[in-house]
Structure formats: structure tokens, C-alpha cells
Amino acid sequence: MHLEKIPRRLFAFVSLISIGTRAALVAPNALTLRLTANVTHEIPATLYGYMWEDINHSGDGGLYAELLQNRAFQAMIPGTLSALNAWQPFNGARIAVTSKTKGVSSALPNSLEVQIPKVVSGPIGFENTGFWGIKVQQGWVYEGSLYAKSDTFNGAITVSLKSTQGTIFSSTTLKGVTKDWKKFTFQFSPTVSAPNDKNVFNVVVDGKAAAGKTIFFGMFSLFPPTFKGRENGMRIDLAEALASTQPSIWRFPGGNNLEGMSFDTRWKWNETIGPIETRPGRVGDWGYSNTDGLGLLEYLNWAEDLNAEPILGVWDGISIANYSDLSTWPIVPEQDLQPYIDDVLNEIEFVIGDSKTTKFGKLRASLGREEPYALRLIEIGNEDQFQPASYSGYRWKAFVDAIGAKYPQMEFIATSLPSTALTPAYKKIDFHMYNSPAWFTTNAFMFDNYPRNGTQFFVGEYAVTSTNDLNNLGDIPSGRLAYPSLQGAAAEAAFMTGMERNSDVVFASAYAPSFQHIRNFQWTPDIITYDASSLVKSTSYYVQQMFSVNRGTHVLATSPTSTSDTAPLFWVASLNNETNVVFLKVSNAGTADLTANIFLDFPITGFMTTISISSPALSPISGNFNISNTLDAPEQIIPISGSQAIPLPDRFNYTFPAMSVTVLTLQSPDLTAD
């Protein structure tokens, strides 16, 4: 039996005690907790979810299932080595990216020029190494395509999935090359799985037949099966991992990646729709080009697949530059803002406009979606606290007034500091925080005394990023976390109990960032880390899952209420009025086990279920609170579920392990939120 699967024992009703010879308890010295039947307020359905932008190759090379990196040489300078990123010659071919021949489309001016030497034999061509590897799976059908043309070559092209050592897993031959661009489609059906992801996409011609000739290629694509079978869709394992946390909001497309490093390189919704051949891509904000294969329609479909409400971030007239000199940031002058406002109005019409009577609704329908999408929440910009003068001076008002006039049903989220006065006054505001465990536990009660005046918070980005209270976004040696830790997850959970307890003013929250490709990343820690073939779910991931899946509809009052006086225990109780289930979510952010005497003001069915993450007792990592799940050790901390009888009808004791997050579930058939 695994030690971590031994259930925590329910103790007879006694005072709070320490277990065995463990360290003496820190405050509180005793906790008697009463769960009442009194409902304080309804919990919004939007409380838990994610913020999204393409960072850490979270889109291209991550959630977006495309397997070929740099597939169309977008946002590349022809004739440079960097333009050949992820491409390499095979058996002596000369390859280069060029724009001297007409591209596949006006949006894709760059092509791959392949020159075959005059003296050569055997197969010769080039390879794509994928996003640092390609997963080859038996039973999968891979859908591929490429464009090719040549004035001098009309022979066969062989495409393959093969290992770097030469093992061919699947191969097919393409015929019919002409002097004009022609799209070739193909399938791979491997009969065995590759032992690892050290595999490539190989394209060759017969050297003797092609000697001395030049062939041009453009817009390659290779997809494995996707989540829910969506065309141009999502990587299954990453999509399933996020979906299993049951998020209820999805904020997109950023984040910094919305803003761009210049006006022209901002995220442009109308360049992310339609066939992939018509999407030019862009210079992303995080050091790599974006294909925009994951575009507006894909985001909206993904939100529907998650059953999550979209929060659409719209560009509001600034681009980012030097954070140490905010005066360098480009800002659209007030007199020049109208075209960008019109662009946002067109975007919203594309999302919700009638497919028969509106210009952009018709455009959406022509791309396969007649029914309007659901859209209620519009976020004006991103982190506009860095440019508050223009935001409060004219940008917020200009966008809100124009959108509100045409779409009065929309609700707007501000991105300045809460203290910044805006006209019209904001009713919802986005708050971001990356900090240390101490910050999150100390500020778990920050919303307790927030005025109930109709304004609400969206905690739109948050995570424990460092153990260094003075440098929360520094480097790894100074305390930055490479992966989320157990200590960090417990602190995040403590903060989340405060958000849920105050969910009359916190209407939504979003952990960020979501994804990290281990081979190329710009930010740590992240909720899920992966490579070409595997992933690891972090401690923070499990906390998000535990809080989101075990979701009540109403907050229940407790006595006492969780406060700084009862730290390091933090808790919130809730009732699901549809299932008559009571949840007690508890974070023990301390270094000692704590036992609570829990009284109930309502009848239960006589047993409870539990789920918890902690440093397992009697295991090699027991007492190690900075422990993390990694790709090399993905299950050091995993949730442990249990079921336990409650012998007394109105009370029980439970020991919350040191540095743990626990959800207790009780069934109360007669308890309802009236």
C-alpha cells in the first residue's frame, strides 16, 4: 500500500492536539469551528478560470496542436539563419527562406527554396524538428499538407514521420508538382509508437531525378488527432488537463501579447480568422513569432468546449516598450483613436452579430459559424496602470462609450489601479498579483472589508512566483520558482478561500500563466509544463482543480470566520444548492499538523469524502514544503481522496496536515439556500 493513500484518521471529539512527537502547534492554539446553515451570498458561476496569452510557447507548440514549428516562415526575415528555425537540410540539399518568388498567398510572402546539387544520389531534401520533437503514436491518424511548385522538377515527393536515427514510422508519396503553387494533402498512420519524441517530419525527392533543380515549398501543416476532433484544434492531453479543472471563464488573447511592441504588431483579430493560408502571423511579444493559427474563432470554440464564459480583451491604444522607462510606450493620441475603436466594434459584431443582417456576422457565417457566440464581458486593454493618464484621460471613456452605445448589454472591465478615477466609473476591475507565499497568506482577507457598493474584482492574473518577499519576479537563484511548489500552492489556496468567501465582490479569478514548454519559455512558474510528448500537472494545478470542481452555489457562514487570528488555517464553507452538498475548503499554510473540532448546524448523511494535497507522512519527501512536480518527477505531490464515517450526528474532528490543501465534502439532504 502506498503510504500517501492511508486515510487520515477521524479522532473522537477532543481538544486540538498535535500528532505524536511533531513540533508544537503555532497559532491558533485551538480551533473550534461551527458550520452554520446561514447563507451569506450566492457564488458567481464565473469564479474560477484562466487567463490566456501565447507565452512560453503555450499556443504555438502548446495548446495549438500543430506539430511543425515555423510552418510558413511568418514574421521572418528571408535569407537569414533564424528564418530556418526548426528546419534543417537532409543529405546535402541547400535550403533557404526567400521572398523572391511569389508566396502561397499575399499573407504569406516567404517560401522555402530547396536547391538540389548537380551531383547527388539517393533521397535528398529537408526536415522539420517540430517543437523540439514530435510525438509519434500508434493508432493516431495525422493530417498533413504542404504547398510546392517548381519550374524544373515534376517528380515525386516523399514525406515521412521518422526518428532522428532513421526509423520510418509512416510515409507517403506526393505527385503532380507544377510551376504553380499546388496544395498536397496526406495522412500518416503509424503502426508502432516511437519510443521518444526525437522524431522529425522528413521531405525528400530522388536525388538522381532532381539533380540540379530547384523546388519551392510553403505553408506546411501536420496535425495529430485534436481535442473533440476540432479542425485546426487543440492538443488532446493539454486540452483535457485544462478541461478537467472545469474552468468557468477564459480571458483571452492577453496579456502583453494583446498589446504588441508597436501599433502594427498588436494582436489583430481580423488577421487570425479564415484559412491558415490567409493568416500572416505576427511578431509576438514574448520573443517568438505567432502563427495565429490559434485565432479568434478557435478561442471562442475552445471556450465553448470548456463550457467557460469568454472574457474578451480588446486593444485600447497602447503598446508596450521599456518597463523601466514608461515614457517610451507608444500611445495613440485621442484624435487618432477612432479607427481602433471601430476595429473593436467590428470584432464584437463578428462575435455576436446576426449572420443574416450584419457585415461581420455574415463573415463569421461564411467561415462556418452562423450562430452568434455568447459574449458579455469586455476587458478594455491590459495592465493600464502603466499608462494611467491617457487611460483615465480619454482611452477608457472612448472605448466604453462607443461599445456601450452599440452594445448596451456589454459589461466592461477596467485594467487600471482601483484607486484611479475613471469616467464613466468602472463597475468591474482587473487586479493582478505575482508575489511570495507570505503576501498571499497575509492578503487572504483583503476583500473582507471591501465596500459593497456594486463594484467587483476580477483577479485576472495571480500566482506565487517566488520565496523572496523583496523580489517576486527575480531569477531562480534569488528565489524565483521554476515550478509551482507545495508551499506556494497552499498560499494560493489560502488567498482563494478569501476570494470565494468574498465572491459577492470577487466575481472571477484567473491563475496565470497557464502553460510552459520546457524547451523555450519566458516565465516561471506555470500551472502545466510539457514537452513534445508529455506534461506535468503542478501543485497549483491541483489546487485550481480542487477549488473549481468542488464548487458551491452559496457561501455558508462559519463561526468563527477565517481571519488573520486563525492563521495558518484558512477556510471557506459553501453549499451547492443543486446537489445539497456542503464543501469545506481549508488551507493549512503552516508547518505543523492542526486538528480542528468541527460542529454542524445541519444534519448530514453520516460520512464525508475528502481530497487533499500535502507532503505525505512517512515518505521520503515528508516535511519538504518547497517540493514541486516536474517533468522528471511528475507525481511527487498528487491529490489523495478518501471517504470516512462520522459517528456523531453534529460534530467531527479532522487533522489538516502541515502545508496542505483539503476539501471536505458532506451531504446534507435537507439543507437548502432559501
Side-chain angles (χ1 to χ4, degrees), residues 316-318 326-327 329-334 337 383-398 415-417 419-423:
D316 69 343
I318 65 168
L326 299 179
S327 66
W329 288 34
I331 305 173
V332 177
E334 184 173 8
L337 200 58
E383 294 184 343
D384 278 282
Q385 72 267 22
F386 292 112
Q387 297 296 334
S390 61
Y391 194 71
S392 61
Y394 62 91
R395 290 189 292 114
W396 161 264
K397 177 176 173 57
T415 63
S416 53
L417 293 176
S419 57
T420 300
L422 299 177
T423 303

mmCIF file of all heavy atoms in Angstrom, residues 316-318 326-327 329-334 337 383-398 415-417 419-423:
data_model
loop_
_atom_site.group_PDB
_atom_site.id
_atom_site.type_symbol
_atom_site.label_atom_id
_atom_site.label_comp_id
_atom_site.label_asym_id
_atom_site.label_seq_id
_atom_site.Cartn_x
_atom_site.Cartn_y
_atom_site.Cartn_z
ATOM 1 N N ASP A 316 -6.566 48.775 -26.700
ATOM 2 C CA ASP A 316 -7.149 50.077 -26.353
ATOM 3 C C ASP A 316 -6.201 51.246 -26.572
ATOM 4 O O ASP A 316 -6.331 52.288 -25.938
ATOM 5 C CB ASP A 316 -7.640 50.067 -24.903
ATOM 6 C CG ASP A 316 -6.500 50.011 -23.887
ATOM 7 O OD1 ASP A 316 -5.360 49.666 -24.275
ATOM 8 O OD2 ASP A 316 -6.745 50.328 -22.707
ATOM 9 N N GLY A 317 -5.208 51.079 -27.469
ATOM 10 C CA GLY A 317 -4.440 52.251 -27.868
ATOM 11 C C GLY A 317 -3.058 52.386 -27.277
ATOM 12 O O GLY A 317 -2.445 53.452 -27.410
ATOM 13 N N ILE A 318 -2.536 51.334 -26.623
ATOM 14 C CA ILE A 318 -1.146 51.384 -26.186
ATOM 15 C C ILE A 318 -0.442 50.102 -26.599
ATOM 16 O O ILE A 318 -1.067 49.045 -26.734
ATOM 17 C CB ILE A 318 -0.974 51.569 -24.656
ATOM 18 C CG1 ILE A 318 -1.524 50.357 -23.879
ATOM 19 C CG2 ILE A 318 -1.587 52.860 -24.181
ATOM 20 C CD1 ILE A 318 -1.130 50.343 -22.410
ATOM 21 N N LEU A 326 8.612 54.178 -18.747
ATOM 22 C CA LEU A 326 7.253 54.105 -19.283
ATOM 23 C C LEU A 326 6.973 55.181 -20.322
ATOM 24 O O LEU A 326 6.006 55.073 -21.087
ATOM 25 C CB LEU A 326 6.236 54.193 -18.145
ATOM 26 C CG LEU A 326 6.317 53.067 -17.095
ATOM 27 C CD1 LEU A 326 5.271 53.278 -16.008
ATOM 28 C CD2 LEU A 326 6.150 51.708 -17.749
ATOM 29 N N SER A 327 7.825 56.192 -20.386
ATOM 30 C CA SER A 327 7.631 57.233 -21.388
ATOM 31 C C SER A 327 7.914 56.739 -22.802
ATOM 32 O O SER A 327 7.556 57.399 -23.777
ATOM 33 C CB SER A 327 8.531 58.440 -21.090
ATOM 34 O OG SER A 327 9.913 58.105 -21.244
ATOM 35 N N TRP A 329 6.580 54.086 -24.084
ATOM 36 C CA TRP A 329 5.459 53.305 -24.596
ATOM 37 C C TRP A 329 4.679 54.103 -25.648
ATOM 38 O O TRP A 329 4.298 55.258 -25.410
ATOM 39 C CB TRP A 329 4.527 52.923 -23.460
ATOM 40 C CG TRP A 329 5.076 51.869 -22.544
ATOM 41 C CD1 TRP A 329 6.379 51.689 -22.191
ATOM 42 C CD2 TRP A 329 4.338 50.872 -21.855
ATOM 43 N NE1 TRP A 329 6.505 50.644 -21.318
ATOM 44 C CE2 TRP A 329 5.262 50.113 -21.092
ATOM 45 C CE3 TRP A 329 3.000 50.535 -21.800
ATOM 46 C CZ2 TRP A 329 4.869 49.046 -20.293
ATOM 47 C CZ3 TRP A 329 2.598 49.480 -20.997
ATOM 48 C CH2 TRP A 329 3.530 48.734 -20.260
ATOM 49 N N PRO A 330 4.408 53.485 -26.809
ATOM 50 C CA PRO A 330 3.584 54.166 -27.809
ATOM 51 C C PRO A 330 2.128 54.262 -27.336
ATOM 52 O O PRO A 330 1.552 53.268 -26.868
ATOM 53 C CB PRO A 330 3.703 53.265 -29.043
ATOM 54 C CG PRO A 330 4.870 52.362 -28.778
ATOM 55 C CD PRO A 330 4.930 52.199 -27.304
ATOM 56 N N ILE A 331 1.549 55.440 -27.461
ATOM 57 C CA ILE A 331 0.158 55.680 -27.071
ATOM 58 C C ILE A 331 -0.541 56.397 -28.219
ATOM 59 O O ILE A 331 -0.047 57.404 -28.729
ATOM 60 C CB ILE A 331 0.056 56.536 -25.788
ATOM 61 C CG1 ILE A 331 0.861 55.898 -24.644
ATOM 62 C CG2 ILE A 331 -1.398 56.734 -25.391
ATOM 63 C CD1 ILE A 331 0.945 56.765 -23.400
ATOM 64 N N VAL A 332 -1.682 55.899 -28.622
ATOM 65 C CA VAL A 332 -2.436 56.547 -29.693
ATOM 66 C C VAL A 332 -3.024 57.852 -29.167
ATOM 67 O O VAL A 332 -3.742 57.851 -28.158
ATOM 68 C CB VAL A 332 -3.563 55.629 -30.209
ATOM 69 C CG1 VAL A 332 -4.390 56.350 -31.274
ATOM 70 C CG2 VAL A 332 -2.983 54.331 -30.768
ATOM 71 N N PRO A 333 -2.742 58.978 -29.831
ATOM 72 C CA PRO A 333 -3.359 60.243 -29.407
ATOM 73 C C PRO A 333 -4.880 60.178 -29.523
ATOM 74 O O PRO A 333 -5.431 59.431 -30.332
ATOM 75 C CB PRO A 333 -2.773 61.262 -30.383
ATOM 76 C CG PRO A 333 -1.531 60.627 -30.933
ATOM 77 C CD PRO A 333 -1.825 59.153 -30.958
ATOM 78 N N GLU A 334 -5.551 60.992 -28.721
ATOM 79 C CA GLU A 334 -7.010 60.950 -28.676
ATOM 80 C C GLU A 334 -7.629 61.174 -30.051
ATOM 81 O O GLU A 334 -8.590 60.490 -30.430
ATOM 82 C CB GLU A 334 -7.522 62.000 -27.691
ATOM 83 C CG GLU A 334 -9.029 61.974 -27.496
ATOM 84 C CD GLU A 334 -9.490 62.898 -26.392
ATOM 85 O OE1 GLU A 334 -8.657 63.676 -25.864
ATOM 86 O OE2 GLU A 334 -10.684 62.835 -26.038
ATOM 87 N N LEU A 337 -7.725 57.968 -32.325
ATOM 88 C CA LEU A 337 -8.175 56.717 -31.716
ATOM 89 C C LEU A 337 -9.347 56.064 -32.442
ATOM 90 O O LEU A 337 -9.528 54.842 -32.367
ATOM 91 C CB LEU A 337 -8.550 56.979 -30.252
ATOM 92 C CG LEU A 337 -8.599 55.777 -29.300
ATOM 93 C CD1 LEU A 337 -7.267 55.060 -29.243
ATOM 94 C CD2 LEU A 337 -9.019 56.230 -27.899
ATOM 95 N N GLU A 383 -3.432 45.870 -18.124
ATOM 96 C CA GLU A 383 -2.492 46.499 -17.187
ATOM 97 C C GLU A 383 -2.261 47.975 -17.528
ATOM 98 O O GLU A 383 -1.133 48.452 -17.653
ATOM 99 C CB GLU A 383 -1.171 45.727 -17.156
ATOM 100 C CG GLU A 383 -1.341 44.339 -16.572
ATOM 101 C CD GLU A 383 -0.040 43.558 -16.432
ATOM 102 O OE1 GLU A 383 0.964 43.941 -17.071
ATOM 103 O OE2 GLU A 383 -0.024 42.569 -15.672
ATOM 104 N N ASP A 384 -3.356 48.692 -17.649
ATOM 105 C CA ASP A 384 -3.248 50.113 -17.983
ATOM 106 C C ASP A 384 -2.832 50.969 -16.799
ATOM 107 O O ASP A 384 -2.748 52.199 -16.935
ATOM 108 C CB ASP A 384 -4.573 50.600 -18.569
ATOM 109 C CG ASP A 384 -4.698 50.257 -20.038
ATOM 110 O OD1 ASP A 384 -4.091 50.962 -20.855
ATOM 111 O OD2 ASP A 384 -5.373 49.265 -20.366
ATOM 112 N N GLN A 385 -2.518 50.351 -15.668
ATOM 113 C CA GLN A 385 -1.917 51.118 -14.586
ATOM 114 C C GLN A 385 -0.553 51.676 -14.992
ATOM 115 O O GLN A 385 -0.045 52.620 -14.373
ATOM 116 C CB GLN A 385 -1.767 50.263 -13.320
ATOM 117 C CG GLN A 385 -0.689 49.188 -13.387
ATOM 118 C CD GLN A 385 -1.231 47.862 -13.853
ATOM 119 O OE1 GLN A 385 -2.271 47.802 -14.503
ATOM 120 N NE2 GLN A 385 -0.552 46.774 -13.490
ATOM 121 N N PHE A 386 0.043 51.103 -16.063
ATOM 122 C CA PHE A 386 1.340 51.609 -16.513
ATOM 123 C C PHE A 386 1.200 52.879 -17.359
ATOM 124 O O PHE A 386 2.190 53.576 -17.580
ATOM 125 C CB PHE A 386 2.077 50.526 -17.300
ATOM 126 C CG PHE A 386 2.514 49.367 -16.450
ATOM 127 C CD1 PHE A 386 1.941 48.109 -16.601
ATOM 128 C CD2 PHE A 386 3.482 49.533 -15.474
ATOM 129 C CE1 PHE A 386 2.338 47.042 -15.816
ATOM 130 C CE2 PHE A 386 3.891 48.473 -14.679
ATOM 131 C CZ PHE A 386 3.313 47.224 -14.852
ATOM 132 N N GLN A 387 -0.003 53.168 -17.829
ATOM 133 C CA GLN A 387 -0.263 54.400 -18.583
ATOM 134 C C GLN A 387 -1.592 55.000 -18.111
ATOM 135 O O GLN A 387 -2.550 55.144 -18.872
ATOM 136 C CB GLN A 387 -0.298 54.111 -20.090
ATOM 137 C CG GLN A 387 0.998 53.604 -20.667
ATOM 138 C CD GLN A 387 2.129 54.629 -20.579
ATOM 139 O OE1 GLN A 387 1.897 55.845 -20.536
ATOM 140 N NE2 GLN A 387 3.366 54.152 -20.541
ATOM 141 N N PRO A 388 -1.665 55.376 -16.829
ATOM 142 C CA PRO A 388 -2.958 55.795 -16.266
ATOM 143 C C PRO A 388 -3.462 57.131 -16.795
ATOM 144 O O PRO A 388 -4.673 57.348 -16.857
ATOM 145 C CB PRO A 388 -2.679 55.866 -14.760
ATOM 146 C CG PRO A 388 -1.203 56.139 -14.667
ATOM 147 C CD PRO A 388 -0.587 55.392 -15.808
ATOM 148 N N ALA A 389 -2.558 58.025 -17.175
ATOM 149 C CA ALA A 389 -3.014 59.364 -17.582
ATOM 150 C C ALA A 389 -3.889 59.301 -18.822
ATOM 151 O O ALA A 389 -4.985 59.885 -18.853
ATOM 152 C CB ALA A 389 -1.803 60.271 -17.806
ATOM 153 N N SER A 390 -3.417 58.589 -19.850
ATOM 154 C CA SER A 390 -4.223 58.509 -21.078
ATOM 155 C C SER A 390 -5.421 57.596 -20.894
ATOM 156 O O SER A 390 -6.461 57.788 -21.539
ATOM 157 C CB SER A 390 -3.357 58.038 -22.247
ATOM 158 O OG SER A 390 -2.816 56.745 -21.999
ATOM 159 N N TYR A 391 -5.296 56.603 -20.024
ATOM 160 C CA TYR A 391 -6.414 55.679 -19.791
ATOM 161 C C TYR A 391 -7.569 56.425 -19.131
ATOM 162 O O TYR A 391 -8.718 56.346 -19.599
ATOM 163 C CB TYR A 391 -5.953 54.516 -18.923
ATOM 164 C CG TYR A 391 -6.902 53.334 -18.882
ATOM 165 C CD1 TYR A 391 -7.069 52.520 -19.991
ATOM 166 C CD2 TYR A 391 -7.606 53.016 -17.724
ATOM 167 C CE1 TYR A 391 -7.917 51.419 -19.965
ATOM 168 C CE2 TYR A 391 -8.458 51.913 -17.675
ATOM 169 C CZ TYR A 391 -8.608 51.119 -18.794
ATOM 170 O OH TYR A 391 -9.444 50.021 -18.759
ATOM 171 N N SER A 392 -7.269 57.125 -18.059
ATOM 172 C CA SER A 392 -8.326 57.877 -17.373
ATOM 173 C C SER A 392 -8.686 59.140 -18.141
ATOM 174 O O SER A 392 -9.811 59.647 -18.024
ATOM 175 C CB SER A 392 -7.881 58.247 -15.956
ATOM 176 O OG SER A 392 -6.721 59.075 -15.988
ATOM 177 N N GLY A 393 -7.733 59.646 -18.944
ATOM 178 C CA GLY A 393 -7.976 60.891 -19.655
ATOM 179 C C GLY A 393 -8.914 60.740 -20.837
ATOM 180 O O GLY A 393 -9.776 61.603 -21.066
ATOM 181 N N TYR A 394 -8.762 59.627 -21.609
ATOM 182 C CA TYR A 394 -9.641 59.507 -22.777
ATOM 183 C C TYR A 394 -9.817 58.078 -23.294
ATOM 184 O O TYR A 394 -10.848 57.755 -23.879
ATOM 185 C CB TYR A 394 -9.135 60.387 -23.927
ATOM 186 C CG TYR A 394 -7.759 60.041 -24.468
ATOM 187 C CD1 TYR A 394 -7.598 59.148 -25.529
ATOM 188 C CD2 TYR A 394 -6.619 60.626 -23.933
ATOM 189 C CE1 TYR A 394 -6.331 58.839 -26.041
ATOM 190 C CE2 TYR A 394 -5.352 60.335 -24.437
ATOM 191 C CZ TYR A 394 -5.209 59.444 -25.479
ATOM 192 O OH TYR A 394 -3.963 59.143 -25.965
ATOM 193 N N ARG A 395 -8.844 57.192 -23.090
ATOM 194 C CA ARG A 395 -8.943 55.890 -23.744
ATOM 195 C C ARG A 395 -10.083 55.039 -23.178
ATOM 196 O O ARG A 395 -10.888 54.469 -23.927
ATOM 197 C CB ARG A 395 -7.603 55.143 -23.651
ATOM 198 C CG ARG A 395 -6.514 55.779 -24.519
ATOM 199 C CD ARG A 395 -5.257 54.923 -24.603
ATOM 200 N NE ARG A 395 -4.549 54.830 -23.337
ATOM 201 C CZ ARG A 395 -4.401 53.712 -22.627
ATOM 202 N NH1 ARG A 395 -4.943 52.576 -23.058
ATOM 203 N NH2 ARG A 395 -3.729 53.719 -21.484
ATOM 204 N N TRP A 396 -10.178 54.900 -21.858
ATOM 205 C CA TRP A 396 -11.263 54.121 -21.243
ATOM 206 C C TRP A 396 -12.629 54.654 -21.681
ATOM 207 O O TRP A 396 -13.485 53.891 -22.142
ATOM 208 C CB TRP A 396 -11.120 54.155 -19.725
ATOM 209 C CG TRP A 396 -12.363 53.810 -18.949
ATOM 210 C CD1 TRP A 396 -13.277 54.686 -18.426
ATOM 211 C CD2 TRP A 396 -12.847 52.501 -18.606
ATOM 212 N NE1 TRP A 396 -14.287 54.013 -17.777
ATOM 213 C CE2 TRP A 396 -14.048 52.668 -17.874
ATOM 214 C CE3 TRP A 396 -12.390 51.207 -18.844
ATOM 215 C CZ2 TRP A 396 -14.793 51.594 -17.375
ATOM 216 C CZ3 TRP A 396 -13.138 50.133 -18.340
ATOM 217 C CH2 TRP A 396 -14.315 50.326 -17.624
ATOM 218 N N LYS A 397 -12.821 55.935 -21.553
ATOM 219 C CA LYS A 397 -14.120 56.535 -21.873
ATOM 220 C C LYS A 397 -14.468 56.349 -23.344
ATOM 221 O O LYS A 397 -15.613 56.012 -23.687
ATOM 222 C CB LYS A 397 -14.108 58.017 -21.521
ATOM 223 C CG LYS A 397 -15.389 58.753 -21.893
ATOM 224 C CD LYS A 397 -15.360 60.206 -21.441
ATOM 225 C CE LYS A 397 -16.561 60.983 -21.955
ATOM 226 N NZ LYS A 397 -17.838 60.367 -21.548
ATOM 227 N N ALA A 398 -13.498 56.531 -24.224
ATOM 228 C CA ALA A 398 -13.775 56.435 -25.654
ATOM 229 C C ALA A 398 -14.256 55.041 -26.033
ATOM 230 O O ALA A 398 -15.233 54.891 -26.787
ATOM 231 C CB ALA A 398 -12.529 56.812 -26.446
ATOM 232 N N THR A 415 -8.680 48.109 -16.390
ATOM 233 C CA THR A 415 -7.374 47.491 -16.134
ATOM 234 C C THR A 415 -6.393 48.462 -15.482
ATOM 235 O O THR A 415 -5.194 48.216 -15.467
ATOM 236 C CB THR A 415 -6.768 46.950 -17.440
ATOM 237 O OG1 THR A 415 -6.531 48.023 -18.347
ATOM 238 C CG2 THR A 415 -7.691 45.936 -18.089
ATOM 239 N N SER A 416 -6.896 49.559 -14.945
ATOM 240 C CA SER A 416 -6.061 50.484 -14.182
ATOM 241 C C SER A 416 -6.093 50.082 -12.715
ATOM 242 O O SER A 416 -6.756 49.112 -12.338
ATOM 243 C CB SER A 416 -6.565 51.915 -14.369
ATOM 244 O OG SER A 416 -7.954 51.988 -14.064
ATOM 245 N N LEU A 417 -5.394 50.822 -11.887
ATOM 246 C CA LEU A 417 -5.456 50.554 -10.456
ATOM 247 C C LEU A 417 -6.835 50.922 -9.915
ATOM 248 O O LEU A 417 -7.473 51.854 -10.417
ATOM 249 C CB LEU A 417 -4.379 51.350 -9.717
ATOM 250 C CG LEU A 417 -2.929 50.955 -9.999
ATOM 251 C CD1 LEU A 417 -1.978 51.890 -9.265
ATOM 252 C CD2 LEU A 417 -2.675 49.511 -9.589
ATOM 253 N N SER A 419 -7.590 52.607 -7.494
ATOM 254 C CA SER A 419 -7.611 53.985 -6.997
ATOM 255 C C SER A 419 -7.722 55.019 -8.113
ATOM 256 O O SER A 419 -7.942 56.204 -7.840
ATOM 257 C CB SER A 419 -6.346 54.256 -6.179
ATOM 258 O OG SER A 419 -5.182 54.016 -6.957
ATOM 259 N N THR A 420 -7.564 54.596 -9.370
ATOM 260 C CA THR A 420 -7.644 55.533 -10.493
ATOM 261 C C THR A 420 -9.097 55.842 -10.813
ATOM 262 O O THR A 420 -9.882 54.937 -11.112
ATOM 263 C CB THR A 420 -6.952 54.946 -11.739
ATOM 264 O OG1 THR A 420 -5.578 54.682 -11.438
ATOM 265 C CG2 THR A 420 -7.026 55.911 -12.905
ATOM 266 N N ALA A 421 -9.454 57.112 -10.739
ATOM 267 C CA ALA A 421 -10.828 57.527 -11.035
ATOM 268 C C ALA A 421 -11.058 57.491 -12.543
ATOM 269 O O ALA A 421 -10.258 58.027 -13.321
ATOM 270 C CB ALA A 421 -11.081 58.922 -10.494
ATOM 271 N N LEU A 422 -12.137 56.839 -12.952
ATOM 272 C CA LEU A 422 -12.467 56.723 -14.366
ATOM 273 C C LEU A 422 -13.852 57.281 -14.629
ATOM 274 O O LEU A 422 -14.740 57.233 -13.765
ATOM 275 C CB LEU A 422 -12.427 55.253 -14.807
ATOM 276 C CG LEU A 422 -11.100 54.513 -14.673
ATOM 277 C CD1 LEU A 422 -11.266 53.055 -15.086
ATOM 278 C CD2 LEU A 422 -10.011 55.186 -15.494
ATOM 279 N N THR A 423 -14.036 57.820 -15.830
ATOM 280 C CA THR A 423 -15.342 58.294 -16.282
ATOM 281 C C THR A 423 -15.661 57.636 -17.617
ATOM 282 O O THR A 423 -14.913 57.808 -18.582
ATOM 283 C CB THR A 423 -15.348 59.821 -16.449
ATOM 284 O OG1 THR A 423 -14.973 60.439 -15.212
ATOM 285 C CG2 THR A 423 -16.731 60.305 -16.866
#
